[in-house]
PDB file of all heavy atoms in Angstrom:
ATOM      1  N   THR T1001     -24.822  -0.517 -12.456  1.00 81.00           N
ATOM      2  CA  THR T1001     -26.185  -0.029 -13.141  1.00 81.00           C
ATOM      3  C   THR T1001     -26.520  -0.977 -14.284  1.00 81.00           C
ATOM      4  O   THR T1001     -27.824  -1.279 -14.411  1.00 81.00           O
ATOM      5  CB  THR T1001     -25.837   1.318 -13.858  1.00 81.00           C
ATOM      6  OG1 THR T1001     -24.629   1.227 -14.778  1.00 81.00           O
ATOM      7  CG2 THR T1001     -25.585   2.346 -12.826  1.00 81.00           C
ATOM      8  N   GLN T1007     -31.936  -6.963 -13.932  1.00 75.00           N
ATOM      9  CA  GLN T1007     -32.498  -7.883 -12.842  1.00 75.00           C
ATOM     10  C   GLN T1007     -33.887  -8.463 -13.086  1.00 75.00           C
ATOM     11  O   GLN T1007     -34.268  -9.576 -12.944  1.00 75.00           O
ATOM     12  CB  GLN T1007     -32.404  -7.226 -11.428  1.00 75.00           C
ATOM     13  CG  GLN T1007     -31.027  -7.245 -10.864  1.00 75.00           C
ATOM     14  CD  GLN T1007     -30.982  -6.973  -9.461  1.00 75.00           C
ATOM     15  OE1 GLN T1007     -31.956  -7.363  -8.595  1.00 75.00           O
ATOM     16  NE2 GLN T1007     -30.118  -6.189  -8.974  1.00 75.00           N
ATOM     17  N   SER T1012     -33.954 -17.360 -16.162  1.00 83.00           N
ATOM     18  CA  SER T1012     -34.078 -18.197 -14.980  1.00 83.00           C
ATOM     19  C   SER T1012     -32.891 -19.266 -15.070  1.00 83.00           C
ATOM     20  O   SER T1012     -32.202 -19.421 -16.090  1.00 83.00           O
ATOM     21  CB  SER T1012     -35.421 -18.951 -14.965  1.00 83.00           C
ATOM     22  OG  SER T1012     -35.464 -19.870 -16.030  1.00 83.00           O
ATOM     23  N   VAL T1014     -33.387 -22.403 -15.336  1.00 81.00           N
ATOM     24  CA  VAL T1014     -33.679 -23.354 -16.261  1.00 81.00           C
ATOM     25  C   VAL T1014     -33.265 -22.845 -17.739  1.00 81.00           C
ATOM     26  O   VAL T1014     -32.818 -23.585 -18.428  1.00 81.00           O
ATOM     27  CB  VAL T1014     -35.293 -23.532 -16.263  1.00 81.00           C
ATOM     28  CG1 VAL T1014     -35.732 -24.481 -17.436  1.00 81.00           C
ATOM     29  CG2 VAL T1014     -35.703 -24.192 -15.000  1.00 81.00           C
ATOM     30  N   GLY T1029     -23.460  -9.746 -19.020  1.00 88.00           N
ATOM     31  CA  GLY T1029     -24.873 -10.033 -18.981  1.00 88.00           C
ATOM     32  C   GLY T1029     -25.307 -11.115 -18.061  1.00 88.00           C
ATOM     33  O   GLY T1029     -24.377 -12.084 -17.653  1.00 88.00           O
ATOM     34  N   ILE T1042     -24.633 -30.781 -11.471  1.00 93.00           N
ATOM     35  CA  ILE T1042     -23.891 -32.008 -11.326  1.00 93.00           C
ATOM     36  C   ILE T1042     -23.175 -32.282 -12.597  1.00 93.00           C
ATOM     37  O   ILE T1042     -21.989 -32.802 -12.617  1.00 93.00           O
ATOM     38  CB  ILE T1042     -24.803 -33.220 -10.968  1.00 93.00           C
ATOM     39  CG1 ILE T1042     -25.148 -33.074  -9.483  1.00 93.00           C
ATOM     40  CG2 ILE T1042     -24.179 -34.520 -11.311  1.00 93.00           C
ATOM     41  CD1 ILE T1042     -26.108 -34.199  -8.959  1.00 93.00           C
ATOM     42  N   ILE T1118      -3.168 -25.404 -26.205  1.00 95.00           N
ATOM     43  CA  ILE T1118      -1.817 -24.955 -25.885  1.00 95.00           C
ATOM     44  C   ILE T1118      -1.031 -26.202 -25.175  1.00 95.00           C
ATOM     45  O   ILE T1118       0.075 -26.354 -25.559  1.00 95.00           O
ATOM     46  CB  ILE T1118      -1.961 -23.806 -24.988  1.00 95.00           C
ATOM     47  CG1 ILE T1118      -2.554 -22.602 -25.718  1.00 95.00           C
ATOM     48  CG2 ILE T1118      -0.442 -23.316 -24.507  1.00 95.00           C
ATOM     49  CD1 ILE T1118      -2.722 -21.309 -24.859  1.00 95.00           C
ATOM     50  N   SER T1129      12.384 -31.772 -29.494  1.00 82.00           N
ATOM     51  CA  SER T1129      13.472 -31.529 -28.444  1.00 82.00           C
ATOM     52  C   SER T1129      14.173 -32.795 -28.150  1.00 82.00           C
ATOM     53  O   SER T1129      15.295 -32.849 -27.849  1.00 82.00           O
ATOM     54  CB  SER T1129      12.694 -31.100 -27.239  1.00 82.00           C
ATOM     55  OG  SER T1129      12.058 -29.768 -27.513  1.00 82.00           O
ATOM     56  N   GLY T1148      -0.404 -23.803 -21.134  1.00 93.00           N
ATOM     57  CA  GLY T1148      -1.635 -24.500 -21.248  1.00 93.00           C
ATOM     58  C   GLY T1148      -2.365 -24.862 -19.970  1.00 93.00           C
ATOM     59  O   GLY T1148      -3.548 -24.641 -19.789  1.00 93.00           O
ATOM     60  N   MET T1186      -1.486 -41.905  -9.617  1.00 85.00           N
ATOM     61  CA  MET T1186      -1.553 -43.103 -10.501  1.00 85.00           C
ATOM     62  C   MET T1186      -0.560 -43.031 -11.600  1.00 85.00           C
ATOM     63  O   MET T1186      -0.111 -44.069 -11.882  1.00 85.00           O
ATOM     64  CB  MET T1186      -2.983 -43.206 -11.017  1.00 85.00           C
ATOM     65  CG  MET T1186      -4.133 -43.562 -10.042  1.00 85.00           C
ATOM     66  SD  MET T1186      -5.633 -43.615 -10.762  1.00 85.00           S
ATOM     67  CE  MET T1186      -5.440 -44.751 -12.072  1.00 85.00           C
ATOM     68  N   ALA T1222     -10.254 -31.469 -26.041  1.00 91.00           N
ATOM     69  CA  ALA T1222     -10.683 -30.133 -26.417  1.00 91.00           C
ATOM     70  C   ALA T1222     -11.999 -30.289 -27.385  1.00 91.00           C
ATOM     71  O   ALA T1222     -12.856 -29.557 -27.208  1.00 91.00           O
ATOM     72  CB  ALA T1222      -9.614 -29.454 -27.262  1.00 91.00           C
ATOM     73  N   ALA T1342       9.001 -29.857  12.784  1.00 97.00           N
ATOM     74  CA  ALA T1342       9.509 -31.130  13.352  1.00 97.00           C
ATOM     75  C   ALA T1342      10.373 -31.829  12.465  1.00 97.00           C
ATOM     76  O   ALA T1342      11.482 -32.419  12.831  1.00 97.00           O
ATOM     77  CB  ALA T1342       8.265 -32.059  13.701  1.00 97.00           C
ATOM     78  N   VAL T1389      -4.493 -17.833  -9.569  1.00 96.00           N
ATOM     79  CA  VAL T1389      -3.791 -18.782 -10.291  1.00 96.00           C
ATOM     80  C   VAL T1389      -2.354 -18.371 -10.718  1.00 96.00           C
ATOM     81  O   VAL T1389      -1.401 -19.169 -10.578  1.00 96.00           O
ATOM     82  CB  VAL T1389      -4.601 -19.156 -11.646  1.00 96.00           C
ATOM     83  CG1 VAL T1389      -3.895 -19.987 -12.528  1.00 96.00           C
ATOM     84  CG2 VAL T1389      -5.909 -19.680 -11.246  1.00 96.00           C
ATOM     85  N   PHE T1423       4.691 -20.013   6.696  1.00 97.00           N
ATOM     86  CA  PHE T1423       4.343 -18.948   7.745  1.00 97.00           C
ATOM     87  C   PHE T1423       3.449 -17.837   7.315  1.00 97.00           C
ATOM     88  O   PHE T1423       2.519 -17.420   7.876  1.00 97.00           O
ATOM     89  CB  PHE T1423       5.658 -18.492   8.393  1.00 97.00           C
ATOM     90  CG  PHE T1423       5.408 -17.430   9.517  1.00 97.00           C
ATOM     91  CD1 PHE T1423       4.991 -17.871  10.748  1.00 97.00           C
ATOM     92  CD2 PHE T1423       5.431 -16.090   9.241  1.00 97.00           C
ATOM     93  CE1 PHE T1423       4.682 -16.890  11.774  1.00 97.00           C
ATOM     94  CE2 PHE T1423       5.255 -15.106  10.211  1.00 97.00           C
ATOM     95  CZ  PHE T1423       4.860 -15.638  11.520  1.00 97.00           C
ATOM     96  N   GLU T1463     -39.112 -15.357  -7.645  1.00 75.00           N
ATOM     97  CA  GLU T1463     -39.428 -14.095  -7.405  1.00 75.00           C
ATOM     98  C   GLU T1463     -40.730 -13.663  -8.028  1.00 75.00           C
ATOM     99  O   GLU T1463     -41.568 -13.004  -7.440  1.00 75.00           O
ATOM    100  CB  GLU T1463     -38.325 -13.118  -7.775  1.00 75.00           C
ATOM    101  CG  GLU T1463     -37.095 -13.281  -6.989  1.00 75.00           C
ATOM    102  CD  GLU T1463     -35.870 -12.475  -7.537  1.00 75.00           C
ATOM    103  OE1 GLU T1463     -36.207 -11.621  -8.415  1.00 75.00           O
ATOM    104  OE2 GLU T1463     -34.722 -12.592  -7.096  1.00 75.00           O
TER     105      GLU T1463
END
Side-chain angles (χ1 to χ4, degrees):
T1001 52
Q1007 281 195 42
S1012 67
V1014 174
I1042 284 177
I1118 296 174
S1129 301
M1186 289 177 58
V1389 173
F1423 179 78
E1463 295 174 8

